[in-house]
Amino acid sequence: MEKKILIVDDEKNIVDIIAFNLKKEGYKILKAADGAEGVKLALAENPDLILLDIMMPKMDGYEACKKIREKKNTPIIMLTARAEEVDKVLGLELGADDYVTKPFGVRELMARVKANLRRQIVQEEPVAEVVEGSVYGRLNINLERYEVRKDDKVLDLTLREFELLKFLTQQKGQVFSRETLLEKVWGYEYFGDVRTVDVTVRRLREKLEDDPGKPEYILTKRGVGYYFDC
């Protein structure tokens, strides 16, 4: 099925370039010129992925991301002209899956789009039979349904959070550096922006752990990286 991508950006020339290249790849395009319109389209049209600029009129990308995340787990790639690390981290903390800094190359953006879409699961048909997942203590992780339960309560994870959890559980007890996790889970180089992993781990802990400050599942090996234990 044709994938639908929403572009939210007030710079028409950038939108036109992105849309042209996405259409060449076979994607259907939706456009919004401000954050408020972007949120409205995101909730009404259910796009498969959202490209979301930060600096926009009416509602900036941060607020738009926050509002979309309250209702949807759609992959979000932030588009930012700011190079400061704090701006990137803020977007990730609000629920974005990825970011690209302007000016960016078309090939880089297309790679990011494809990498995020590969991790999107669209359940168009109901599962006929409930398949039990893998049990880790109080967690039940069902890979077929992209579902995580804790004490029979379904946890609201983004696709990126699920993929990170899936990777770590499949190599239970093995410690991975942040650079390795970027390569294995995100699927491409981030050129040293390892805070991406830290933010995603923190978000995961807030959803998985009884006390995120004293994690039981995703642990830190000081000076090395992260690992899953149970």
Side-chain angles (χ1 to χ4, degrees):
M1 182 177 291
E2 187 179 37
K3 296 292 185 182
K4 184 163 47 176
I5 297 178
L6 170 61
I7 307 170
V8 187
D9 197 315
D10 63 325
E11 297 184 68
K12 185 178 183 302
N13 59 325
I14 291 179
V15 173
D16 289 343
I17 292 171
I18 294 174
F20 174 79
N21 285 278
L22 288 173
K23 286 179 181 178
K24 285 202 306 181
E25 295 290 334
Y27 300 117
K28 182 178 179 180
I29 305 302
L30 300 170
K31 301 177 184 178
D34 61 70
E37 183 185 4
V39 172
K40 183 177 179 180
L41 279 176
L43 300 183
E45 297 293 335
N46 295 314
D48 297 289
L49 183 141
I50 301 169
L51 297 173
L52 182 61
D53 187 34
I54 290 182
M55 302 302 293
M56 291 184 295
K58 295 186 180 180
M59 181 187 297
D60 66 24
Y62 296 132
E63 185 65 21
C65 180
K66 182 179 178 181
K67 288 185 176 296
I68 292 169
R69 272 291 168 262
E70 290 173 355
K71 302 289 186 179
K72 301 286 185 180
N73 274 332
T74 309
I76 296 174
I77 301 177
M78 304 291 286
L79 306 178
T80 172
R82 299 181 176 183
E84 291 85 353
E85 185 71 11
V86 64
D87 297 308
K88 299 173 183 177
V89 170
L90 178 56
L92 295 170
E93 288 178 336
L94 291 173
D97 296 275
D98 201 353
Y99 57 81
V100 179
T101 303
K102 298 177 183 179
F104 48 78
V106 171
R107 290 181 61 186
E108 178 191 7
L109 181 60
M110 293 301 108
R112 300 289 180 97
V113 167
K114 291 176 181 177
N116 280 276
L117 282 175
R118 279 198 299 268
R119 293 172 172 81
Q120 182 198 29
I121 299 297
V122 180
Q123 297 179 340
E124 298 177 351
E125 298 179 359
V127 178
E129 179 181 354
V130 176
V131 180
E132 289 299 322
S134 300
V135 178
Y136 303 91
R138 295 158 61 195
L139 298 180
N140 186 299
I141 303 175
N142 191 312
L143 300 183
E144 291 189 19
R145 301 181 63 181
Y146 266 55
E147 181 180 270
V148 178
R149 291 176 176 266
K150 182 178 181 181
D151 298 335
D152 291 328
K153 178 183 177 182
V154 177
L155 303 181
D156 186 22
L157 304 187
T158 66
L159 291 167
R160 184 71 74 192
E161 291 163 359
F162 183 90
E163 288 290 342
L164 178 58
L165 179 61
K166 172 185 172 182
F167 179 81
L168 290 173
T169 56
Q170 289 178 335
Q171 284 79 214
K172 181 180 175 182
Q174 185 174 345
V175 182
F176 293 94
S177 69
R178 292 178 293 176
E179 291 83 1
T180 299
L181 289 172
L182 283 174
E183 178 186 349
K184 298 296 185 180
V185 178
W186 276 254
Y188 44 83
E189 294 295 337
Y190 259 75
F191 306 106
D193 290 331
V194 293
R195 285 291 303 279
T196 300
V197 176
D198 297 331
V199 172
T200 307
V201 167
R202 183 165 68 248
R203 280 166 33 195
L204 252 180
R205 283 174 171 166
E206 289 172 352
K207 297 175 181 181
L208 296 179
E209 308 285 356
D210 291 336
D211 182 357
K214 298 178 180 178
E216 299 177 6
Y217 297 105
I218 300 179
L219 305 182
T220 301
K221 185 72 171 180
R222 190 174 299 277
V224 183
Y226 298 106
Y227 65 102
F228 184 88
D229 191 22
C230 178

